[in-house]
Amino acid sequence: MTTAAEKLISRLRFLALKNILCQPVSWFDLPKCSTGHLITRLARDAPLIKSVTGLRIGQVVTSFMTLAAALSIAFIYGWKLAIILLFAAPLLFASASHQASLIRKNQTRDSALMDEAGKLASECIQNIKTVQALGKEHSFLKLYCNYLLVPFEENMKQALVYGITFAFSQMVVYIMYAAAFRFGGYLIGIEEMVPSEVFRVFFALSFCATALGNNSAYYQDFTKAKVAARNIFELITVKSDVDPMSDYGVKPDIKGKITFRNVKFCYPNRESISVLDNLNLTISPGETIAIVGGSGCGKSTIVSLIERFYTPNSGEILIDDADIRVMNLAYLRSVIGLVGQEPVLFDCSLKENILYGAIALRKPIMDHEIIKAAKMANIHDFIASLPQGYETYCGENGTQLSGGQKQRIAIARALVRDPKILILDEATSALDNENEKIVQASLNKARIGRTTIVIAHRLSTIKAADKIAVLDQGKIIEIGTPEELEQSDGFYYKLIKGQQI
Ligand SMILES: Nc1ncnc2c1ncn2[C@@H]1O[C@H](COP(=O)(O)OP(=O)(O)OP(=O)(O)O)[C@@H](O)[C@H]1O
């Protein structure tokens, strides 16, 4: 039973996480799907289910068998005396189900509040530097206490109700004993039963009471587990319209042409605001295009759509004339090397972090390839100077590295997979001028033979592109070579003059 329970819980956790990982990015934008909520659910709900499986089921089966045996003995040896139980059982059952209904009500409310508390705790621990720099420790603690306070106060009130219900059920048991003794004495007096039979029935009845008590305790845990199971099954059964783990979809040879055709898009959680409005853009294979525009004009959104983190509301995105919706998702992502605005590193060695870029392709990567990628990203010398070199741990989310070092590791991670399409979304923004020049020179070499999309604010980075597209209010308003745009006296020209990029 215990083995089965352990397997069940691992499997539930595995299936829940598997389904979470298959969800589209838009799902994670929902308030109830924040990191804190999901982690709290996985950590809290699975053990609650465990508490009613395994050994506990064994105990309940034992209790039912005891109850059946004791009832048979009681009725065989003295049905008149045993009939007392028929008065006590409904009262015991009513008190147990009343407790269970209270638990059910509390559990649903408490788990919602605990999800909020978990979200808050994970948010402030993840952003501990910002919390401390802003001196927000007290306000976070206060908020956390508020989440804990409501269930605490309610549970204190209900503890009284539990106490009364428990006292009542105990009272019923003792009254039953007293009644059994009195009635048993009477039956011996009128010579209907002999003392040994009365004691047999009496002990059988006390076994019945213990079994009922055990089962009512189980019923309460079962009520809690039911709420927890509903939460876990919600995570397991939620449907996703994309699945990066499925084999569905075509895997064509990719040269690197990217086409946006009449693409309209708004974020699912902000449907009233159109981010891309009939966007048309063609990027030829091997071409480097810089996308520029004011903050919030939709540059990173273009990247998210190419990666299929989101799906356009209308229009289509083609890679080499194949709609990305019919392509195998894992394959599509494996041909793209993405360095985002805020590079994310994992809590493992620098080597493993760079290797993460290659895992999706499932081909072994040699050490010299890792070093080559690190050299291209201008991070090799730094890594080599560390006492543990490539085996150095970078801490959770790279906390033991500077912002520029993190960006360079992320660039090495994108380059090690030798992608057909390289996307650099402000990938060098945290580098100083000196490092930026070196990394830029390497990237200029790295982009040969691959389609590159660069989103940057630095003029030096943008000027190195073959083509510049100016984005404004979700539309391309200018497109051409840097020289053409400089002469056109348009938006780009004004941006340069105003030094806004
Ligand atoms: N997950 C999201 N949910 C809802 N709206 C979003 C989301 N991500 C971005 N937006 C909104 O979409 C618009 C475009 O955002 P995007 O990140 O593409 O801008 P950007 O051009 O890359 O800006 P920046 O140069 O400042 O990084 C913004 O108005 C932003 O507020």
Side-chain angles (χ1 to χ4, degrees), residues 257-261 316-324:
K257 183 180 169 197
I258 304 172
T259 313
F260 277 70
R261 206 178 276 163
E316 46 188 11
I317 302 169
L318 313 169
I319 290 190
D320 288 356
D321 302 322
D323 192 322
I324 58 170

Side-chain angles (χ1 to χ4, degrees), residues 81 86 181-182 192 204 223 233 252 289 403 406 419 442:
L81 194 52
L86 296 185
F181 266 120
R182 181 69 192 85
E192 193 154 315
T223 314
F233 275 91
I289 186 163
K406 277 201 274 185
S442 307

Side-chain angles (χ1 to χ4, degrees), residues 29 267 269-270 275 295-301 310 341 426:
D29 290 341
Y267 282 95
N269 54 348
R270 246 184 248 163
V275 179
S295 176
C297 69
K299 302 182 292 292
S300 302
T301 305
Y310 298 91
Q341 282 187 8
E426 296 186 25

Side-chain angles (χ1 to χ4, degrees), residues 383-408:
I383 300 176
S385 73
L386 295 169
Q388 285 164 303
Y390 279 85
E391 298 304 330
T392 309
Y393 269 76
C394 63
E396 196 181 357
N397 201 13
T399 40
Q400 292 164 26
L401 298 176
S402 75
Q405 287 161 352
K406 277 201 274 185
Q407 276 199 331
R408 283 180 283 162

Side-chain angles (χ1 to χ4, degrees), residues 25-26 28-29 265-271 273-276 291-304 310 341 425-426 455-457 471:
V25 175
S26 55
F28 295 89
D29 290 341
F265 177 71
C266 56
Y267 282 95
N269 54 348
R270 246 184 248 163
E271 286 182 344
I273 301 172
S274 160
V275 179
L276 298 182
I291 301 178
V292 297
S295 176
C297 69
K299 302 182 292 292
S300 302
T301 305
I302 291 182
V303 173
S304 298
Y310 298 91
Q341 282 187 8
D425 186 355
E426 296 186 25
I455 296 173
H457 290 276
L471 192 68

